[in-house]
Amino acid sequence: MKYFIVTYGCQMNVHESEKIAAILEKMGYSEGSSREEADIIVFNTCAIREGAEDRVFGNVGNLKKLKKKNKDLIIAVCGCMTQKEQTAQKLMNTFPFIDIVIGTFNLPKLGYYIEAVKKGRQLEILSEGDIDESLPYKRTSGENAWVNIMQGCNNFCTYCIVPYVKGREKSRKEEKILDEIREIISEGKYKKITLLGQNVNSYGHDLKDGVTFAKLLRDICAIEGDFTLSFMTSHPKDLTDDVIDAIAGEEKIEKFIHLPAQSGNNRILKLMNRKYTREKYLEIIDKIRAKIPNCRITSDFIVGFPTETEEEFLDTMALVRQVKYDSIFAFMYSPREGTVASKMEGQISDEVKHDRVNKLLSLEKSLQKETKDED
Ligand code: 5AD
Ligand code: SF4
């Protein structure tokens, strides 16, 4: 009995697929090398932009032939896309050969749904769930071990679907995280630990036991062993001096921060509900540069947010030029149903979005070339 997992989206999903693999192996499945030889195929989906969802619809659709050949093949779809009731229903209706559609919070019970398939197709979406501490992961990223420190997000950036599909922020207890890392290090094969969370800098706020992200970083570094530590993603509004000092002072922490700015224009940042200004963001960058020489800094940007003018877009270009990032990701704004921005007047045409994203990416390319030439 073989399984095959198809993962879309961010590192959190890559890590979540490691849990799916562990669940399936516990049930007696082993990893297959292709969809063709699988007895169960799991799609772990992403909902962040429309393109990600379109790919899932296309790729799931392609499985029809396989299901025809092998009637016992089980097809399961889970992850952020299925956490949206309408999309989950649409998947079920469009593809009668899908056996299981479950939301992100049902994932720990995947085994139960696979058993239940004998009785018929399974569709279930819980609106909220706790972090599952009961199952191990099948670690698949070589020398790097992902460690989840929290789930969900409280920020409600107006363009973002994450708070709707992942729920509110919930931090894992520090002791559980430290135990997991001690165990990883004692195995001897991992050289790098990467902490994961939508907004790692607000780690611990919900625990109300005084633990902060900076404390967590320091406590992890105190674990004996030869390893490096990194983390993502940081929200500029929560990146404290204490965290910057921890990165600067702790040898084990990689000198790298992914600090998404999203826009370089204050009116757009406000509309995005990012809770910082361009000036505040630049202040943080200056602080990082002063305290952590040679720190690599990367960022995400969204172009074509509703009502964004050409001039406002040029503020983003100028910010990118000014900060001299090590690299950036540039995305065309994608309206996500249910978010505040998707209902805003002044949606920007695809043509303009394409034009802006191309301009931003070619700026990024030319800046990369400049730094290479300097080297
Ligand atoms: N449209 C385009 N990009 C988005 N992102 C999040 N939501 C959207 C959206 N609706 C981007 C942000 C975030 C990254 C992971 O994805 O830049 O930092
Ligand atoms: Fe989305 Fe904003 Fe939360 Fe990041 S901080 S997951 S962009 S709502």
Side-chain angles (χ1 to χ4, degrees):
M1 298 273 278
K2 300 271 189 198
Y3 70 84
F4 192 78
I5 303 170
V6 188
T7 308
Y8 300 84
C10 64
Q11 277 82 3
M12 301 262 241
N13 257 17
V14 173
H15 188 38
E16 210 127 84
S17 288
E18 295 183 334
K19 180 154 272 183
I20 297 174
I23 293 171
L24 294 171
E25 295 200 357
K26 201 167 165 226
M27 294 179 78
Y29 289 91
S30 59
E31 191 177 3
S33 56
S34 70
R35 292 163 213 223
E36 283 70 24
E37 71 166 33
D39 300 283
I40 177 161
I41 302 175
V42 182
F43 283 86
N44 190 10
T45 63
C46 169
I48 200 102
R49 282 172 292 275
E50 202 179 343
E53 294 201 353
D54 290 347
R55 270 199 301 283
V56 169
F57 270 95
N59 289 335
V60 171
N62 286 339
L63 292 185
K64 193 173 175 182
K65 315 182 267 292
L66 285 185
K67 187 83 175 198
K68 251 192 188 152
K69 258 194 250 163
N70 174 9
K71 289 229 160 11
D72 296 327
L73 170 67
I74 297 175
I75 298 172
V77 188
C78 62
C80 291
M81 221 174 126
T82 56
Q83 190 61 36
K84 298 185 294 170
E85 200 104 33
Q86 272 187 347
T87 316
Q89 201 62 57
K90 188 171 163 201
L91 277 160
M92 268 312 212
N93 297 343
T94 316
F95 306 116
F97 53 84
I98 292 182
D99 300 286
I100 302 168
V101 173
I102 52 172
T104 38
F105 299 116
N106 303 68
L107 188 62
K109 278 172 67 194
L110 176 65
Y112 162 83
Y113 294 106
I114 294 173
E115 286 297 324
V117 156
K118 292 174 197 136
K119 295 190 216 115
R121 303 175 82 201
Q122 300 292 315
L123 167 76
E124 195 166 359
I125 304 151
L126 297 174
S127 59
E128 215 171 321
D130 283 326
I131 295 176
D132 176 40
E133 298 278 359
S134 65
L135 280 161
Y137 291 91
K138 179 187 184 235
R139 301 195 185 274
T140 57
S141 294
E143 287 195 339
N144 176 61
W146 308 107
V147 174
N148 208 18
I149 63 167
M150 61 205 298
Q151 74 179 15
C153 183
N154 288 350
N155 290 318
F156 288 92
C157 301
T158 53
Y159 51 81
C160 187
I161 192 77
V162 168
Y164 302 91
V165 294
K166 292 277 194 183
R168 297 300 83 75
E169 262 170 36
K170 273 191 193 139
S171 303
R172 286 176 72 195
K173 292 249 176 342
E174 188 187 25
E175 214 31 62
K176 298 260 188 205
I177 298 168
L178 295 175
D179 280 348
E180 184 181 343
I181 295 176
R182 278 186 209 110
E183 206 180 306
I184 291 168
I185 298 302
S186 72
E187 275 187 53
K189 54 181 175 180
Y190 302 104
K191 293 273 167 262
K192 182 175 171 186
I193 304 284
T194 306
L195 308 178
L196 296 176
Q198 300 296 345
N199 179 14
V200 289
N201 295 283
S202 65
Y203 168 78
H205 288 183
D206 57 312
L207 294 173
K208 301 197 168 57
D209 61 359
V211 66
T212 61
F213 185 53
K215 173 171 161 34
L216 176 69
L217 288 174
R218 291 201 171 92
D219 289 346
I220 295 171
C221 290
I223 296 173
E224 256 178 59
D226 175 21
F227 66 93
T228 60
L229 180 63
S230 67
F231 53 83
M232 62 176 59
T233 292
S234 295
H235 191 306
K237 82 176 166 61
D238 297 313
L239 186 65
T240 59
D241 288 1
D242 205 12
V243 169
I244 298 175
D245 289 339
I247 304 168
E250 293 288 345
E251 236 173 72
K252 284 176 175 157
I253 302 182
E254 250 189 75
K255 309 306 170 210
F256 164 65
I257 305 179
H258 181 57
L259 198 65
Q262 311 296 1
S263 167
N265 175 269
N266 283 339
R267 192 185 72 88
I268 296 294
L269 284 171
K270 191 147 204 228
L271 280 180
M272 286 176 163
N273 191 31
R274 290 292 288 179
K275 302 194 178 86
Y276 53 83
T277 58
R278 175 196 180 94
E279 293 72 29
K280 178 83 201 149
Y281 183 86
L282 286 168
E283 232 173 71
I284 300 167
I285 296 285
D286 284 347
K287 221 182 269 174
I288 297 170
R289 298 256 192 248
K291 288 191 172 175
I292 320 169
N294 299 323
C295 186
R296 284 186 300 125
I297 303 177
T298 60
S299 183
D300 294 342
F301 288 94
I302 296 176
V303 302
F305 185 84
T307 72
E308 184 189 60
T309 64
E310 191 65 21
E311 232 179 357
E312 288 167 336
F313 162 67
L314 291 178
D315 285 342
T316 295
M317 295 279 277
L319 182 76
V320 170
R321 229 178 258 118
Q322 187 173 345
V323 174
K324 295 199 172 70
Y325 291 105
D326 289 86
S327 69
I328 60 159
F329 296 93
F331 304 108
M332 288 185 285
Y333 168 70
S334 170
R336 308 283 60 218
E337 209 181 332
T339 60
V340 172
S342 69
K343 297 180 207 95
M344 285 178 184
E345 307 249 318
Q347 298 285 326
I348 304 290
S349 72
D350 282 352
E351 201 188 337
V352 171
K353 284 186 213 169
H354 274 289
D355 177 57
R356 289 181 189 168
V357 86
N358 288 338
K359 280 184 184 147
L360 191 53
L361 288 172
S362 44
L363 171 66
E364 145 85 348
K365 235 186 186 169
S366 68
L367 292 174
Q368 293 284 346
K369 195 173 168 299
E370 265 175 37
T371 39
K372 271 208 193 100
D373 291 346
E374 279 168 21
D375 287 345

